[in-house]
Amino acid sequence: MPLLTFGEAITDSEQFSKRHLLLGNGFSIACCADIFHYGSLYDQADFSSAPEVEAVFTALRTKDFEAVIRTLESAAHILPAYVADGGAAPAKMLEHAAMLKEILVQTIAGNHPHIPSDIPEDKFWACRRFLSHFLSGEKAGCVFTLNYDLLLYWTLMHDDLPFGDPIDLAKSDGFGNDEDKPDADYVVWQGETNAHSASVMFLHGALHLFDSGKDLLKYTWVRKGVPLIDQA
């Protein structure tokens, strides 16, 4: 079937009460292709701790990290059916899949723009206008992102001036004050019940989100005064 243009899709969505958006890696590539394209990340990644992983990329003829992670995890689950004694390979595959996730996050952080001003103001303005179809007005719904980087968070926090009238984007992501430490330099996930009204969901996590073991934390610039990349 022929694809709708973005304008046609927005017009077609007028029949529904809410608009929702799912962001994939293309969202980040559109801003900084030289950084966030999987090929760029692959070229910058350090596989020295697990050279077998690099061989998996070659065997699959891909530079897609998540495709390789899924393959390793799937292979680890099915290999015991073909290897009588189980062997050490399945455990090693799962270990390398976890390691590859860490390599991906480290590579993104290491090549990520350091502060929002590294990105041209007109890009933020264009992106906020794009997001306004989903996070502003009577049809405001939810934005779900699969990306680890800070671009969406930075865009939501950005000021529109001097490019035009301020756009009121919904930006609640389910985090709020820690009841035990309300003045902490971080905020905490409020739980599924308390965060039911959140409009932005980081489905795969993000560089500024951390599992402390007790709580899921979000670090912010405004509370600590330290760039988020440095905090990460």
Side-chain angles (χ1 to χ4, degrees):
M1 60 181 291
L3 292 176
L4 299 176
T5 66
F6 181 71
E8 289 170 341
I10 291 298
T11 299
D12 182 66
S13 68
E14 289 292 338
Q15 63 185 296
F16 302 104
S17 60
K18 300 291 182 183
R19 291 194 189 101
H20 305 290
L21 176 68
L22 175 65
L23 296 176
N25 200 37
F27 176 75
S28 304
I29 292 173
C31 178
C32 307
D34 58 329
I35 295 176
F36 294 113
H37 194 282
Y38 270 135
S40 301
L41 293 172
Y42 176 87
D43 292 339
Q44 296 293 326
D46 180 6
F47 299 107
S48 59
S49 59
E52 299 94 335
V53 168
E54 193 166 9
V56 177
F57 279 94
T58 302
L60 294 176
R61 298 181 180 179
T62 185
K63 294 184 176 180
D64 185 331
F65 282 72
E66 295 188 72
V68 172
I69 291 169
R70 286 194 300 270
T71 298
L72 286 170
E73 292 176 337
S74 297
H77 289 301
I78 67 172
L79 189 59
Y82 293 89
V83 181
D85 61 356
K92 192 170 186 179
M93 287 175 174
L94 292 176
E95 176 187 341
H96 283 182
M99 185 182 301
L100 189 54
K101 294 176 185 179
E102 185 68 21
I103 290 173
L104 175 58
V105 171
Q106 289 178 352
T107 304
I108 292 173
N111 294 277
H112 198 290
H114 191 250
I115 52 178
S117 59
D118 288 342
I119 298 173
E121 292 284 345
D122 60 330
K123 285 194 174 186
F124 278 121
W125 172 232
C127 191
R128 285 180 60 82
R129 283 184 292 147
F130 164 70
L131 292 174
S132 69
H133 292 288
F134 310 95
L135 293 176
S136 183
E138 61 181 17
K139 292 190 179 297
C142 292
V143 168
F144 304 90
T145 179
L146 305 176
N147 301 321
Y148 308 105
D149 59 68
L150 300 172
L151 299 184
L152 175 62
Y153 180 69
W154 280 355
T155 302
L156 293 173
M157 298 295 110
H158 209 71
D159 188 4
D160 295 313
L161 301 176
F163 288 91
D165 294 333
I167 300 173
D168 184 20
L169 295 180
K171 48 182 175 280
S172 171
D173 53 13
F175 288 82
N177 286 338
D178 185 335
E179 292 183 359
D180 298 327
K181 299 179 180 179
D183 297 323
D185 56 10
Y186 56 82
V187 289
V188 300
W189 174 249
Q190 299 296 295
E192 293 184 14
T193 301
N194 292 333
H196 70 279
S197 60
S199 52
V200 179
M201 305 290 184
F202 295 91
L203 299 184
H204 284 183
L207 291 179
H208 61 312
L209 306 182
F210 294 87
D211 185 352
S212 70
K214 175 178 176 290
D215 293 302
L216 181 61
L217 311 182
K218 183 180 84 170
Y219 288 105
T220 68
W221 157 261
V222 69
R223 285 177 174 252
K224 198 168 184 178
V226 175
L228 289 177
I229 288 297
D230 290 343
Q231 293 188 51

